[in-house]
Each structure stands twice: as structure tokens, then as C-alpha cells.
Amino acid sequence: MKPRKVSAAAAAALTLALAATACGSDGGGSDDGKKITVGIKFDQPGVGLKTPDGGYQGFDVDVARYVARELGYAPSDVVFKEAKSADRETLLQRGDVDFIAASYSINDERRKKVDFAGPYFLAHQDVLVRAGDDSIKTPADLNDKKLCSVTGSTSAQNVKTKLAPRAQLQEYGGYSECLTGLENGTIDAVTTDDAILAGYAAQDQFKGKFRLGGFKLSDELYGIGVKKGDTELRNRIDAALRKMVQDSEWKKAVEANFGPAGYRSEPPPGLSTPAG
């Protein structure tokens, strides 16, 4: 968090104080009205992606920007920080980010550590396989196959414990690594939410190479994560999400980010907490 500008006379007096507090900054911005730090994915096309020119795009990015605007922040005051699946709870607990919009599925285990606004999106767990691979037609066909997901994600564990116990689970740091393995044949299937998989499959370098299984293995309700106990911020974000749906910006964001892949989203899910 950058300190506000001060006069030359005050600057000298505040030098030691600023130096002492700089290292202890919580990384947020919602309290001082200057900057707000938002955790997103950097490697999920269609959902959250950092582009080669340093920009950011994707459905979650659009949602985060809309919410930040409703919280009173200009676009230039939004700072994006990478939120890998395994790091999301830690980022919130340490105060490194103000909120996280990063394909963050709400579940009971995560609710013990963080609070959620939303849900704002309903996805379904699915698998991505090579277009010419006809050996995986049902979830049971994943038995004895090399199944990839990212560290900290529940998707692969869901398959292994409930549907294909003999699946050979491979966990990588990011989905892009899973896609590379799928393309070169060292991985047989990648599993995560269908929206994420559709975003990857729609990339120019992957067009025609992969296909979705269409299994709908689970319902994944995406929420915006906030620090545990921050009820005020959670409710303000809920209010922003409600407005985004009501004024059709939610629908526009879905169509802009997932439409090119032919993906059809579910209607927006109801928000679970009161606004205000």
C-alpha cells in the first residue's frame, strides 16, 4: 500500500513512522481509499489471465473490477495479485489481498478459514481430454489414467475418491502445466471446472486439440473470498454482485469471456448473504 503524499515539513517528521509501518502493511487498500488489492488467477484463460503486455482479462477480472468500482475505487486503483489455488486462504489471512475472485469454489472446509460473498457463478467439474482419445467416455474410464489438476484443488480428489479410485493423480502448480502434459501425451486427462477448461480449449494454440467430457461431475459455486470475520466487506461485495446481475453486466461478462468457446453458463446463482 502506498502512503499518501504529505507536505515537505510533515514528510521529515513522518519518515521514521512510515519506515516502521511499510513492512507491516497489510497489502489492502479499502481502508484508506487509495488502492485495493485483489487476488485473481494469472493462468486461466477466460477466467483470470495475465497477458504478455501486463494486462488482465477474464470473467473473474471483470467481476473484480466491477466490485472494486462499486466499493469506490477507480480502475487505476485496483492492484491485481496472483492467487494460486494453494495460496488463497493464506493470502487472505495475512492481509496480502482485500478480496479474492479466482474461480474460488465455496465449501465447508474453506468457510472455516475465510468468508465468502456470493456465490456469483455456477460451474460444473468436468474433464478435458485429447480430441482423438475415445478411451474416456465416462468418469469410470479415468481408472488407471493419468489425471492432472493443480495443487490445492479439490477436483482431482473428487474424481479419485468418488468416481475413479485407480486414477493416477498428478498435481502441478498450474493448469497450463497440465495442458502441456495433455498435449504431449504424458497426461491423459485434466480435471477442473468446465468454465476453466473451456477457456483453455478456446485458445488459438489449442483449438481442435482437446474436447470436454461433458460429465458435470459436481456443482461448483464460485464466491469472492474475504478475510474471516470481515462481515462488512462481504456484505458490500454481495451488494455489488447483486447490482452486476441486475444491470446485465454479469451476462455481458459471461458472453465476452466464455462465448467464443461455445460454452453455455448456468443462470446466475442466488446470493447467500444479505446486502447492506
Side-chain angles (χ1 to χ4, degrees), residues 41-182:
K41 291 296 180 68
F42 277 14
D43 65 344
Q44 291 181 355
V47 179
L49 182 69
K50 184 174 183 179
T51 58
D53 62 0
Y56 303 93
Q57 62 185 33
F59 177 71
D60 279 345
V61 175
D62 291 344
V63 170
R65 284 176 171 149
Y66 187 98
V67 168
R69 187 184 72 193
E70 291 300 307
L71 293 177
Y73 293 90
S76 60
D77 292 333
V78 180
V79 177
F80 288 115
K81 185 179 182 68
E82 185 173 20
K84 294 182 178 180
S85 294
D87 299 335
R88 290 177 295 201
E89 287 81 26
T90 301
L91 289 170
L92 288 168
Q93 291 167 344
R94 290 192 315 212
D96 293 338
V97 296
D98 291 288
F99 67 82
I100 289 179
S103 55
Y104 204 177
S105 297
I106 301 171
N107 62 40
D108 291 340
E109 188 63 28
R110 288 170 178 164
R111 282 185 185 275
K112 296 176 183 178
K113 302 175 182 178
V114 302
D115 285 340
F116 286 99
Y120 64 93
F121 191 80
L122 173 59
H124 301 285
Q125 186 185 341
D126 203 348
V127 298
L128 195 70
V129 299
R130 288 181 291 278
D133 185 356
D134 294 327
S135 67
I136 302 176
K137 296 180 180 179
T138 70
D141 293 333
L142 293 168
N143 279 306
D144 302 316
K145 299 289 188 179
K146 293 179 181 177
L147 177 67
C148 187
S149 194
V150 301
T151 304
S153 171
T154 60
S155 298
Q157 291 292 346
N158 286 341
V159 172
K160 188 168 177 60
T161 59
K162 300 176 182 178
L163 302 168
R166 297 195 312 276
Q168 300 174 33
L169 178 57
Q170 310 286 319
E171 291 184 300
Y172 291 167
Y175 290 109
S176 56
E177 298 172 57
C178 288
L179 266 289
T180 299
L182 185 62

Side-chain angles (χ1 to χ4, degrees), residues 48 66 111 120 148 157 181 185 190 206 210 213 226 236-237 255 260:
Y66 187 98
R111 282 185 185 275
Y120 64 93
C148 187
Q157 291 292 346
V190 180
F206 293 140
F210 307 130
V226 300
R236 290 178 67 195
I237 292 175
E255 292 174 349

